[in-house]
Amino acid sequence: MAKPLTNRPLSPCVQICKIEPATSVCHGCGRTLDEIAGWGSMTEAEKAPVWERLESEGYASKS
């Protein structure tokens, strides 16, 4: 199980909410609509691969 990083914010949201219609991905945070909708009920283990993808794609800082 992935260990959560304590220095990550509660959400990857950067308050630039613009969804790409073709992909349903937010231009601001890089999450899909499903990820955005379910974020509040996701466990840390469920969030970890999303965070890793966002970090690898340059949406979220690894700091």
Side-chain angles (χ1 to χ4, degrees), residues 18-27 30-34 59:
K18 184 176 178 189
I19 305 299
E20 172 60 44
T23 61
S24 295
V25 172
C26 177
H27 285 279
R31 292 179 294 167
T32 65
L33 282 175
D34 288 341
Y59 284 102

Side-chain angles (χ1 to χ4, degrees), residues 2 5 7 10 12 14 18 22 24 28 31 35 38 54-55 62:
L5 297 178
N7 57 347
L10 294 176
V14 294
K18 184 176 178 189
S24 295
R31 292 179 294 167
E35 290 167 343
L54 297 176
E55 290 165 351
K62 293 182 183 181

